[in-house]
Amino acid sequence: MSVPAEAQRVAGDLELVPAGENADLVPDAVRKALPEGSWALGIDPDLADTQALVDAAHVPLDGSANCVVVSGKRDGAERVAACVVLANTRADVNGAVKRLLDVRKASFLPMDRAVEESGMEYGGITPLGLPGDWRVLVDSAVAASDWVLIGSGVRTSKLVVRGSDLAALPNAEVLDIALPAR
């Protein structure tokens, strides 16, 4: 299978392999949720943070997406969502996300809880394979992207998937949730 040119562009200098065929790169829960035609690439775990990978492997910032987990409470009930935005933006947690969750205050889920409840490693959390009761808020710019580089669930690899496949995830909602990066 040949790698589409746009998929390779978002992978920078890194070699892409079919994600579904490389169990060593993709955890089981994520692999079960992988859209067909997704790609994976192995990385040094020290490069799992977006800017480090951009700098080391010539990965384009506008072709990378980040997934952050946010929560808030309303009437004693916690509401959790994974927010997926392009890496050259940031999630509007205190505006759009707070309104969408219908909470008075939204904040990032503490790292230990995000890791435990997602079953993924910090710095590798992806919208694929998350708990079924979490909302997945996909920014419209991510959904409109041909391909995006995103976490794989672990710090030793990344995935390259179509933006439309992220928008089609079972709990996904495509919305405008991003602000320009600071």
Side-chain angles (χ1 to χ4, degrees):
M1 181 183 327
S2 129
V3 178
E6 183 62 17
Q8 186 58 60
R9 182 191 80 79
V10 301
D13 297 340
L14 302 168
E15 180 183 352
L16 290 174
V17 297
E21 299 171 17
N22 288 277
D24 58 321
L25 294 176
V26 184
D28 286 340
V30 174
R31 191 171 40 264
K32 289 176 185 172
L34 271 176
E36 192 169 323
S38 297
W39 300 89
L41 51 93
I43 61 169
D44 179 323
D46 291 337
L47 300 178
D49 294 326
T50 302
Q51 192 60 54
L53 191 60
V54 165
D55 294 342
H58 305 107
V59 169
L61 194 60
D62 66 349
S64 301
N66 291 323
C67 180
V68 295
V69 183
V70 176
S71 72
K73 287 189 178 180
R74 177 68 157 213
D75 299 326
E78 184 176 46
R79 300 169 184 196
V80 178
C83 302
V84 185
V85 298
L86 291 177
N88 62 350
T89 67
R90 60 188 170 92
D92 183 10
V93 174
N94 294 316
V97 175
K98 180 177 85 167
R99 283 189 300 279
L100 289 163
L101 292 179
D102 191 25
V103 295
R104 286 181 13 152
K105 180 183 177 198
S107 55
F108 296 105
L109 198 65
M111 179 180 62
D112 57 337
R113 280 196 56 210
V115 167
E116 181 181 338
E117 293 176 26
S118 71
M120 299 179 195
E121 294 178 2
Y122 185 75
I125 294 177
T126 184
L128 300 160
L130 288 173
D133 58 341
W134 286 13
R135 291 173 73 180
V136 178
L137 308 178
V138 179
D139 186 66
S140 58
V142 172
S145 298
D146 287 336
W147 294 90
V148 291
L149 180 83
I150 196 156
S152 67
V154 294
R155 292 181 63 87
T156 56
S157 65
K158 294 283 185 181
L159 297 172
V160 175
V161 300
R162 291 175 197 86
S164 59
D165 286 337
L166 295 178
L169 291 171
N171 293 346
E173 302 168 53
V174 177
L175 307 150
D176 293 324
I177 61 165
L179 293 172
R182 292 182 188 181

